[in-house]
Amino acid sequence: MTTQASFSSAAIHVIGQYNDAGKTLVGAYRAGVHRLLGGAAARSAEFLGSRQIPLVSEQVKANLIGAQEKINGFLANRLDIDTGRIVSAMDRVAAGTASGIETVAGRVARVESPIVGSVVKTLNALNQPIANVSVQIAEKVAAGAKQIEVRMSGTEEAKPVRTVKAKAAAAKKPVRRSTTARKAA
């Protein structure tokens, strides 16, 4: 049953790719929020440090900046904890799904009936092209997620986004049917 093995390995590969893409997107989200928090803290510290605000002493400004840093630290820590839990849950789901596929593939491989074997072989032959396309799509999704992560982290210069222009669909005129055609039917 080599076709069964290739079909199940394709399914497991797709699960792995989508799991990696999901974790990459979670990492991109984490990096984006960290950048947002850091930028907000820098802007507020710059604003408070560069302005003379009436009735606000330097000590009050320092306290406000310290409070902002504490809040940002709390939010960043909470973000890391929550996204870590999300990644852990995604890994558990992917591992459980892959284990289920392996279990089913192992049980199907143990069936020695020639009729069942030929049915499984035929189903695999019909579904293998779909599995191959699914693998290619999953790899594209994972690559796209990595590009998003790079853009969100700000570590590498972002490449321009390619846009695809779609043609506008031509407006269809409503079809009018005569009452004689309806009566004849």
Side-chain angles (χ1 to χ4, degrees), residues 134-147:
S134 296
V135 166
Q136 292 171 353
I137 291 170
E139 288 173 354
K140 295 269 187 194
V141 167
K146 287 180 181 161
Q147 288 177 343

Side-chain angles (χ1 to χ4, degrees), residues 8-166:
S8 63
S9 64
I12 291 170
H13 180 73
V14 167
I15 290 167
Q17 289 295 309
Y18 282 127
N19 186 37
D20 287 346
K23 291 191 296 188
T24 300
L25 290 174
V26 169
Y29 169 75
R30 180 184 306 151
V33 173
H34 276 286
R35 278 182 60 199
L36 179 70
L37 290 173
R43 284 188 300 278
S44 65
E46 179 184 334
F47 175 79
L48 288 173
S50 66
R51 304 267 187 316
Q52 288 294 335
I53 303 171
L55 303 174
V56 177
S57 68
E58 293 301 317
Q59 180 62 35
V60 172
K61 288 181 184 180
N63 288 344
L64 287 173
I65 292 171
Q68 174 78 31
E69 290 173 357
K70 284 182 182 179
I71 290 170
N72 282 356
F74 171 77
L75 292 174
N77 185 40
R78 197 67 237 169
L79 174 74
D80 292 339
I81 291 169
D82 292 342
T83 54
R85 287 179 180 166
I86 290 169
V87 167
S88 176
M90 291 169 64
D91 284 339
R92 283 192 307 269
V93 168
T97 305
S99 174
I101 290 171
E102 289 171 343
T103 301
V104 169
R107 288 186 181 160
V108 168
R110 281 188 248 140
V111 175
E112 296 185 16
S113 168
I115 295 172
V116 172
S118 69
V119 168
V120 168
K121 200 175 215 180
T122 303
L123 288 174
N124 281 332
L126 291 172
N127 290 312
Q128 192 62 46
I130 296 169
N132 292 338
V133 170
S134 296
V135 166
Q136 292 171 353
I137 291 170
E139 288 173 354
K140 295 269 187 194
V141 167
K146 287 180 181 161
Q147 288 177 343
I148 291 171
E149 182 181 42
V150 167
R151 288 181 68 113
M152 291 299 292
S153 68
T155 57
E156 188 175 301
E157 189 172 315
K159 297 177 185 175
V161 177
R162 188 184 79 159
T163 58
V164 178
K165 293 184 180 178

